[in-house]
Amino acid sequence: MSKITVIGSLVMDNVAKMKKFPEAGETILGYTLELFPGGKGANQCVSIARLGGDVEMVGMLGKDGNGDVFRQIMKDEGIKSEHLFSCDKPTAVAQIQIDESGQNRICVIPCANYEFDFADLDRVDDVIKNTEIVVLQLEMRLDVTKEAIRRAHAYGVKVLLNPAPAVPLEEDVLGIVDYITPNETELSILTGMPTETDEEVIAAAQKLISLGTKNVVATLGSRGALIANKDGAEIVRGYKVKAVDTVAAGDSFNGALAVALTEGKSLKESVRFANAMGALTVQKKGAIPSLHTRAEVEKFIAENN
Ligand code: RIB
């Protein structure tokens, strides 16, 4: 069994680059259209592996060419994948637009990701029981994801939830999450509170803490991340870099956070490490192709601190 288990999505990304995003009803000419393997679950899992973490990927693929691509990636990255199941629906796909500043707009069509159901969760019960931390996102079925969170918590396994794409979650779910990692928009959706200013972000994070979430790590882009828990709130400074493509930056942040936490680093140290991983990711295009290795992250930290 692995120290870290990612239960999550795998998505083939169709990425179009353009000067600026089209308005509703507008046609524009773009620069390039490329295919990259991604999906929040797969991105987080590959990040963990490239940073030296012991990780297993649990999820659902189609029996198609895209599914074969992901199976090969798992093999190449040394990721355990005996519980990466196959179904008759196609592997998930996404349409992604990237503008000149590297910002993105993403639409995911879940396909096979939504075929992972309660019976599949039963098949991985022992995997959940015997891991140290389960890493989840919200790109699979919400009811199944919530049940995975409940099971992990019942087994005394830590839960790291990246609540993306965000939806409001019930208090009984938020109350058993050890680490939740929303960006500002997601934090606002989770809490129903504004998150425009640092003060508002802190207030929204404190609301989650009051509901029982142990640690909130709110990502703030290049400004870094806010840590909030019962001991207080603090912003851990990020790195200013030139973004070419922000896809998977949040995912690599989450992967790095999981690795550092399971290595026994403090939450603040773990967030520093995760900030560096995220800062490197935005400098390269694509999702999985933009994920850096441990050596690259350590070099970046040494050169930028
Ligand atoms: O977080 C980035 C990812 O979100 C992309 O790789 C895309 O597949 C979507 O899942």
Side-chain angles (χ1 to χ4, degrees):
M1 298 294 167
S2 299
K3 267 189 167 187
I4 308 174
T5 300
V6 176
I7 304 179
S9 56
L10 307 96
V11 180
M12 188 55 77
D13 295 342
N14 293 257
V15 183
K17 285 212 129 184
M18 58 206 66
K19 187 172 168 62
K20 69 171 202 51
F21 299 124
E23 301 295 331
E26 185 189 15
T27 300
I28 59 154
L29 299 179
Y31 302 142
T32 53
L33 182 67
E34 292 176 277
L35 271 188
F36 296 110
K40 297 186 195 305
N43 297 340
Q44 294 174 16
C45 188
V46 172
S47 298
I48 293 166
R50 291 194 182 161
L51 294 171
D54 171 27
V55 63
E56 167 151 11
M57 178 82 211
V58 171
M60 187 67 83
L61 290 167
K63 296 173 193 149
D64 49 18
N66 287 341
D68 295 342
V69 170
F70 280 105
R71 292 203 178 279
Q72 189 60 46
I73 289 171
M74 297 297 138
K75 223 187 226 170
D76 295 344
E77 302 285 343
I79 295 168
K80 292 193 195 76
S81 57
E82 300 95 84
H83 302 94
L84 188 46
F85 305 126
S86 297
C87 68
D88 291 330
K89 290 273 171 71
T91 300
V93 288
Q95 269 197 337
I96 301 187
Q97 297 179 341
I98 313 268
D99 75 2
E100 204 168 46
S101 68
Q103 293 307 310
N104 63 65
R105 292 185 177 184
I106 303 180
C107 172
V108 177
I109 314 295
C111 309
N113 288 328
Y114 262 37
E115 296 301 300
F116 187 96
D117 60 15
F118 290 100
D120 297 308
L121 211 47
D122 288 342
R123 291 157 84 188
V124 298
D125 204 52
D126 273 347
V127 177
I128 298 176
K129 239 181 225 162
N130 292 297
T131 195
E132 275 182 31
I133 187 163
V134 172
V135 177
L136 302 119
Q137 321 76 37
L138 299 178
E139 282 186 337
M140 294 174 65
R141 268 176 53 179
L142 193 55
D143 52 354
V144 176
T145 303
K146 287 180 191 167
E147 176 61 14
I149 292 171
R150 288 192 189 102
R151 285 193 195 190
H153 178 73
Y155 298 147
V157 170
K158 294 250 178 307
V159 173
L160 190 165
L161 176 64
N162 174 220
V167 287
L169 291 170
E170 294 84 358
E171 292 183 18
D172 67 319
V173 176
L174 290 169
I176 56 174
V177 170
D178 296 279
Y179 302 95
I180 196 160
T181 57
N183 62 23
E184 290 139 299
T185 313
E186 292 154 359
L187 182 60
S188 179
I189 293 170
L190 286 173
T191 59
M193 293 169 71
T195 53
E196 301 284 315
T197 64
D198 285 353
E199 291 69 33
E200 288 174 348
V201 171
I202 292 171
Q206 278 164 344
K207 176 168 179 193
L208 294 181
I209 303 301
S210 75
L211 297 177
T213 305
K214 293 220 172 45
N215 298 281
V216 177
V217 179
T219 54
L220 309 172
S222 61
R223 290 196 299 121
L226 171 99
I227 299 175
N229 51 36
K230 66 174 174 32
D231 300 326
E234 178 181 6
I235 290 180
V236 182
R237 175 179 73 76
Y239 299 89
K240 293 253 176 296
V241 294
K242 184 166 168 25
V244 298
D245 174 347
T246 53
V247 173
D251 300 328
S252 71
F253 178 96
N254 277 276
L257 185 65
V259 170
L261 289 170
T262 52
E263 287 175 353
K265 290 191 171 62
S266 70
L267 182 56
K268 190 170 172 180
E269 275 304 302
S270 302
V271 169
R272 272 205 195 106
F273 182 67
N275 278 342
M277 180 69 165
L280 281 169
T281 306
V282 302
Q283 296 179 65
K284 248 176 127 176
K285 65 178 183 176
I288 287 181
S290 70
L291 305 173
H292 288 68
T293 62
R294 181 81 182 217
E296 290 167 327
V297 177
E298 284 174 354
K299 182 167 176 276
F300 178 82
I301 292 173
E303 288 170 357
N304 289 279
N305 273 356

